Amino acid sequence: MPSGRAVLLLRRLSTGDSKLKNLNINQNTNKELVTSPVCLNRDFSFSKRLTTVGHPLGTNKLSRSFSENIIKMANVESNTQEKPKHTNQLIFEKSPYLLQHAHNPVQWYPWNQEAIERAKKENKLIFLSVGYSTCHWCHVMEKESFENEEIAKVMNENFINIKVDREERPDIDRVYMLFVMATTGSGGWPMSVFLTPELRPVTGGTYFPPEDRWGRPGFKSILLSLAKKWKENNSQFVEASNNIMEALQKISLVDSDASPSVPGEGTWTKCVRRYISIYEPHFGGFGLAPKFPQASIFNFLFHYYARDKSDPEGKKCLDMCLYTLTKIAKGGIHDHVSSGFARYSVDNDWHVPHFEKMLYDQAQLIVAYTDAYLATKEEFYADVVRDIIKYVNRDLRHESGGYYSAEDADSYPYHGAPHKKEGAFCVWEYDELKSLLDDKKLDSISFLDIFCHYFNVEVDGNIAPESDPHGELSNKNVLIVYGSKEETIAKFGLSLEQFENVISDCINILYEERQKRPRPHLDTKMLCSWNGLIIAGLAQAGQGLGEKNYVEDAIKTAQFIKAHLYDSSTKTLLHSCYRAEDETISQTNEPIKGFLDDYAFLIKGLLNLYEASLDLYWLNWARELQYKQNELFWDNENGGYFTCSTSDSTVVLRLKEDQDGAEPSGNSIACHNLQRLAAYADKSEAPEGGDVEREMARKLLIAFARRLNESPTALPEMMSALMFYNDSPTQVLIAGGCSDPRTLELLRVVRARLLPGRVLAVADPAADSPAGMSDILLSRILPSGDVPTAYVCRRYACSLPVTDVKQLESLLDEPAKPSKSAKPTPD
């Protein structure tokens, strides 16, 4: 990612070290800079974190807050009903984030042609502000600057102001985040970028305080300085922006190795050893605070372990995953009362979270904990899966099957409170717990004592000062389990049943009490990509845990997408839809067309759903979407997929995402999908037999070869796809009636194992027409008589048919890792 001469040029240009030498918006002082307040995404880790050079923002390290203890939050969900003084163009939008800003005194526009044409006509710079509805520091900048009438006046007089929801327009967000990261060395939200009327960036950053302070220029000072310089000599801005675009084009290229070959075992071995070296052994995770539960890492490490369970490094990968997932589940990042997981913890112990909950985290953690359960058969991990699904189905789901995007970190601490506070919905004071639990007894033992011991509740709060430097969470407790249930049982002389009953009763009491509090803002935007991830998670959990209801949930969500996020006339996806005030599903006047992630994530979900439901409908739709994805996003010249199509001329740069962060890269997921679809085409009547998809996967891996070799931990999900490619899939083929108990038992054996790279297909002669059977793997393999039959194929060689469960178990438990002499040769 951003590095090299192009980055240095960008930094000089954007900070005025060239012809715009007076444009520098950094104030150099001897005062130590306070860490940058932004909403982070794990995408900015590892190689994407660059040293800041002469820019308004210092290196981004996370701090909970350094503003007032109570931050006044602006929100359309105001606790008092007052007629708005101001209304701008955002009032006509559907995005909850844009609607939050619809009554700012700033004359905001959404990203549209009207705003761009006005900037050209009036010859003004564009101020672009990007964020999302559950972003804490986006709310802070809104209150401090965008609700400030004096600052709004400067903005309105001198700039065309555009507000973008990053979740609604990830294509725009990625272009200008690339610029901000290259020029500042870090990124986050809110993102603040100044553009020429031709949409070329000139300078920018993330959060700016309203006035000069903390060694940083105030937002008002920046506005006035840029407006003055633009009026005096805008030709210099235009020239610099042209050079900036040239540099951005260079650093956006994904360079492959000169050798036209796919990387081999040494690449993923290096990745494993890098994770081992950065593993934090006390509380798990990779690196220190802030800690993110980055699920792509678990996927890679579980895959590495499962391909050869006798390998010592593989066992280390399993241990790292299990320990980390256990600590996360016991930590404060896990909501022990209302279920689900927060985005990340600000400390090393997974204790004090950034309290917002995102759908994409829940979806991916369902997969991680399902894999942990399959690897160990420990019910602890299965219970976490059930807990996450309980949360998303209860709190994030529309009745018709779509899932909402997120819940906010901030909420009113009580009804009638004038201001929101972070974590107010989630934290507990000891006296509050005492009033709720102290009168409940087990013999002479107070429920309160048992509960406080197990969850480490302290009378004066359990949050360390370094996790709350400004006292926002003073005297509060975030529930966390440092010990074990066995320790609490021993301390109070309880039986396991007594302990579990006490904790369950206490949790139920606290849950009911929490429902009396003002709820956090719910972002009711429904994204195709994130719903694709939840389909994948539900389908995988349904298989691994044997829960039919989860598969039915996934089917309902897939049907929702087909109904509301799919254009059957063009066979294309839409990116988002919205919950209307009357609870129906609504759409924008000009629906946002689907991006790469929408296609890739949904295709993954549909492939998982086929394997969970055995309904060919989902496999066939996945294929149809893959053809459309190839048409819209594939780079015919260099391989790999662009994140967006060419349909929107306002997107000045088409990028290829090369980082598996909080969400996996669309290219990483697509590489898996291509290989799975290729495997399903094997032995079919199609003349190419999967060769097209397999060749595209090869070209994609070559396109990212340099990235994989030089920065292996940047793409753990793609590293898993690389192992998949080199090993070849484990194809499990079953011929038999889907309702036959003997077939179901064979399926149970397959689904009960951790088998990354597995492709499962079933041909039911009674259910599938000859045409339907010829369209899937196994089309030429029929059951032997009336007995359901299974085959296990690895490296394009199939086992003899087996009908016995024990025989199938033995075949599946063989290492997927090829021998040194094995060479994949498709038949």
Side-chain angles (χ1 to χ4, degrees), residues 462-527:
N462 68 358
I463 297 171
E466 57 267 26
S467 295
D468 182 33
H470 293 273
E472 288 182 322
L473 300 174
S474 179
N475 296 318
K476 308 294 185 183
N477 287 278
V478 173
L479 305 183
I480 183 171
V481 179
Y482 281 112
S484 66
K485 62 174 67 175
E486 290 76 16
E487 291 173 356
T488 303
I489 286 170
K491 177 178 175 61
F492 293 97
L494 308 173
S495 68
L496 176 60
E497 183 180 6
Q498 287 175 322
F499 168 81
E500 291 181 342
N501 287 339
V502 167
I503 295 300
S504 178
D505 287 350
C506 291
I507 291 296
N508 289 336
I509 291 168
L510 266 58
Y511 178 79
E512 293 302 321
E513 182 65 22
R514 186 182 278 186
Q515 302 316 300
K516 300 174 185 177
R517 298 175 176 178
R519 289 197 67 89
H521 160 74
L522 177 67
D523 189 323
T524 55
K525 176 175 68 269
M526 287 165 273
L527 301 176

Side-chain angles (χ1 to χ4, degrees), residues 389-571:
I389 295 175
K390 177 176 71 174
Y391 165 68
V392 296
N393 281 347
R394 184 192 64 216
D395 292 346
L396 292 185
R397 195 175 202 190
H398 188 275
E399 63 180 10
S400 60
Y403 286 89
Y404 306 131
S405 296
E407 278 194 303
D408 207 338
D410 306 303
S411 61
Y412 294 103
Y414 55 88
H415 292 284
H419 314 303
K420 291 185 177 183
K421 295 181 68 175
E422 186 176 9
F425 187 67
C426 301
V427 296
W428 302 92
E429 292 186 355
Y430 175 81
D431 288 345
E432 186 179 13
L433 296 175
K434 183 180 173 77
S435 68
L436 294 168
L437 304 177
D438 201 32
D439 62 341
K440 296 185 67 66
K441 307 282 185 181
L442 179 65
D443 297 329
S444 60
I445 307 172
S446 167
F447 277 30
L448 176 69
D449 292 340
I450 298 170
F451 185 85
C452 290
H453 180 268
Y454 183 62
F455 284 111
N456 290 275
V457 173
E458 302 288 345
V459 173
D460 55 354
N462 68 358
I463 297 171
E466 57 267 26
S467 295
D468 182 33
H470 293 273
E472 288 182 322
L473 300 174
S474 179
N475 296 318
K476 308 294 185 183
N477 287 278
V478 173
L479 305 183
I480 183 171
V481 179
Y482 281 112
S484 66
K485 62 174 67 175
E486 290 76 16
E487 291 173 356
T488 303
I489 286 170
K491 177 178 175 61
F492 293 97
L494 308 173
S495 68
L496 176 60
E497 183 180 6
Q498 287 175 322
F499 168 81
E500 291 181 342
N501 287 339
V502 167
I503 295 300
S504 178
D505 287 350
C506 291
I507 291 296
N508 289 336
I509 291 168
L510 266 58
Y511 178 79
E512 293 302 321
E513 182 65 22
R514 186 182 278 186
Q515 302 316 300
K516 300 174 185 177
R517 298 175 176 178
R519 289 197 67 89
H521 160 74
L522 177 67
D523 189 323
T524 55
K525 176 175 68 269
M526 287 165 273
L527 301 176
C528 183
S529 55
W530 296 1
N531 275 267
L533 289 177
I534 198 70
I535 291 171
L538 290 167
Q540 190 153 332
Q543 294 183 77
L545 275 61
E547 293 280 359
K548 185 178 179 182
N549 289 343
Y550 298 163
V551 180
E552 292 173 351
D553 289 336
I555 290 172
K556 188 174 181 180
T557 303
Q559 291 169 338
F560 173 90
I561 293 177
K562 195 73 180 273
H564 299 287
L565 290 167
Y566 179 70
D567 184 340
S568 59
S569 65
T570 60
K571 296 186 177 181

